[in-house]
Amino acid sequence: MKNIILFIAVIFINQLSNAQNIKTKNVPAEIENTLYSFALNDNLINVQRYEENKIRGFIVSILDKDLNTINSSKIEAANSVLHNVSYKNGKLLLLIQKNDKSNLTIVYNVVTINTNDLSKTEKNYIL
């Protein structure tokens, strides 16, 4: 029994001595809490949640290969849920559900963003 414990201890100590050292780095705010991310040529498209001055919504950012912001756009969306984001043919499509408690309705908002200039078009569907 002592030999088994000694053998396990030697294996454990050997594993600890050969364990890899992992270096960590602070994550920049541009990629922290990213909900969705897509590749755009050599750049990156990030969709994040934001809140400032009691206003909530989403930020769409285009980042370069060094994770520096090239361009960004805010979408104000209080009392809403982001259900899906798709990217195709230079357009980013966001499906946002907004709950209107006063009318007891659910509004689905489809926001289309052109990734060249981050211009937006919106279409609402009321249920």
Side-chain angles (χ1 to χ4, degrees):
M1 183 68 171
K2 290 182 183 179
N3 290 337
I4 293 173
I5 294 173
L6 181 61
F7 177 73
I8 292 172
V10 169
I11 296 294
F12 182 72
I13 292 170
N14 187 28
Q15 290 295 331
L16 283 178
S17 66
N18 291 331
Q20 295 178 353
N21 293 330
I22 298 173
K23 295 181 182 178
T24 59
K25 177 175 141 177
N26 289 338
V27 177
E30 289 80 9
I31 62 169
E32 187 177 10
N33 300 322
T34 298
L35 300 173
Y36 292 90
S37 188
F38 302 93
L40 174 66
N41 301 326
D42 291 335
N43 299 328
L44 190 67
I45 302 171
N46 274 355
V47 179
Q48 301 169 277
R49 187 175 298 127
Y50 85 94
E51 180 178 356
E52 63 184 25
N53 299 330
K54 297 185 180 180
I55 297 173
R56 294 181 181 179
F58 306 99
I59 296 177
V60 175
S61 302
I62 298 178
L63 309 172
D64 65 10
K65 63 181 178 181
D66 296 323
L67 302 178
N68 297 317
T69 303
I70 297 171
N71 200 355
S72 67
S73 177
K74 291 183 181 179
I75 301 167
E76 290 184 16
N79 299 324
S80 63
V81 177
L82 181 63
H83 280 290
N84 192 16
V85 178
S86 301
Y87 174 71
K88 187 173 182 182
N89 297 331
K91 300 208 184 282
L92 197 64
L93 298 157
L94 289 82
L95 177 62
I96 301 172
Q97 174 187 336
K98 294 183 181 181
N99 298 321
D100 187 356
K101 293 179 183 177
S102 62
N103 294 335
L104 297 176
T105 59
I106 298 173
V107 177
Y108 284 98
N109 188 11
V110 178
V111 180
T112 304
I113 300 175
N114 186 336
T115 56
N116 293 328
D117 58 0
L118 294 185
S119 60
K120 297 181 272 192
T121 57
E122 297 185 27
K123 207 176 234 189
N124 290 325
Y125 299 96
I126 300 173
L127 298 179

